[in-house]
Amino acid sequence: MIRVEHIGIAVSDLKKAEALYTALLGAAPYKREEVASEEVVTSFFQVGPNKIELLESTADDGPIARAIAKRGEGIHHIAFEVADIRAEMARLKAAGFTLLNEEPKRGADNKLVCFVHPKSANGVLVELCQEIS
Ligand code: CO
């Protein structure tokens, strides 16, 4: 793992959350991007070497909508940048972690991503992400 790449925050109103985080961080988001396969629209803020990703559901029963129904708004996942996502997936699988996808998939912000089940990571949804070059 190279570094914490971003922290994902589930929000129910992206527009309001963008205004709030713009005020909090003192800088506007640098991009908004919909990821249709995940049923989310995301908004990214740069904070030094790390990012904050706000996530709003685009479907009533999407993953983010379900997370908010269960636990309310708040931190949804922690994403770690990796150099070789397939190698990291194999390493974690061999170490007994449960991966939520068997193949890397295309995520927001030009990344290949894979998620690790929170049950195998002390209740934290972990995202591995590798920049697509
Ligand atoms: Co993320």
Side-chain angles (χ1 to χ4, degrees), residues 7 22 26 31 38-39 46 50 54 79 88 91 119 128:
I7 295 173
T22 296
K31 81 152 84 165
E38 297 292 311
E39 299 176 307
Q46 189 74 47
N50 311 105
L54 303 180
E88 287 297 324
R91 183 180 71 80
K119 279 198 178 124
L128 308 177

Side-chain angles (χ1 to χ4, degrees), residues 6-8 44 53 55 77-79 108 113 115 127:
H6 65 269
I7 295 173
F44 282 90
E53 173 187 34
L55 305 123
H77 63 270
I78 297 180
V113 303
F115 288 93
E127 174 186 338

Side-chain angles (χ1 to χ4, degrees), residues 12 27 29 38 40 56-57 64 67 76 83-84 90 95 104 111 115 126-127:
S12 50
E38 297 292 311
V40 289
E56 181 193 70
S57 186
I64 293 299
H76 177 259
D84 181 342
K111 300 276 196 294
F115 288 93
V126 170
E127 174 186 338

